[in-house]
Amino acid sequence: MSGRDRILIALVGGVVVMAGIWFGALAPKRQEAAALADRIAQAETRRDAAVSSAATAEQARASSARDSATLARLGKAVPIDDDVASLVFQLESLARRHGVDFRAVQLTGTAAAPAPAPAPASATPAAKSS
């Protein structure tokens, strides 16, 4: 065997060893790395969904105090008996008949001593004729 044949055999042997390492050791690790990359992507998707859900919950928690106050205010606005609803209907009918805009009425904070509200201009003649 000549020196050239030995070099060629060593080179072919090196290539065979490298191919064996590639297919025997590195290829399964590359597949495992790809599978882990997929698991990481799924975990990041779940994390993003959880962060979004937490942000939505935080917004709901922040607005719950305001919503509770609104609910309490609406609960106080419900008439205690049926006579109040009848009174409101009668007031609305009279206001419509005399051209008073019922939306312009503003509620005050205390029910015991209501502040006198200035009468609208169209209601003034109706008050004088009564």
Side-chain angles (χ1 to χ4, degrees):
M1 222 187 236
S2 68
R4 189 178 104 185
D5 291 339
R6 285 186 208 158
I7 292 174
L8 189 57
I9 291 174
L11 190 59
V12 170
V15 169
V16 169
V17 168
M18 291 295 278
I21 290 173
W22 178 262
F23 289 111
L26 294 180
K29 291 296 180 184
R30 289 173 53 105
Q31 290 174 352
E32 184 179 336
L36 288 175
D38 288 342
R39 287 180 56 195
I40 288 171
Q42 290 172 358
E44 287 175 345
T45 302
R46 286 193 312 265
R47 182 207 58 207
D48 292 343
V51 167
S52 174
S53 177
T56 302
E58 183 63 31
Q59 289 174 349
R61 187 179 66 82
S63 68
S64 68
R66 183 186 68 225
D67 294 343
S68 295
T70 301
L71 185 61
R73 189 174 61 239
L74 289 174
K76 290 179 183 178
V78 173
I80 296 172
D81 57 5
D82 293 339
D83 293 339
V84 174
S86 174
L87 175 65
V88 170
F89 178 76
Q90 290 173 3
L91 286 174
E92 196 273 329
S93 298
L94 282 171
R96 187 178 322 128
R97 195 173 328 144
H98 294 287
V100 175
D101 187 8
F102 212 38
R103 292 175 294 174
V105 176
Q106 294 184 2
L107 299 177
T108 60
T110 60
S122 62
T124 305
K128 289 180 182 177
S129 66
S130 296

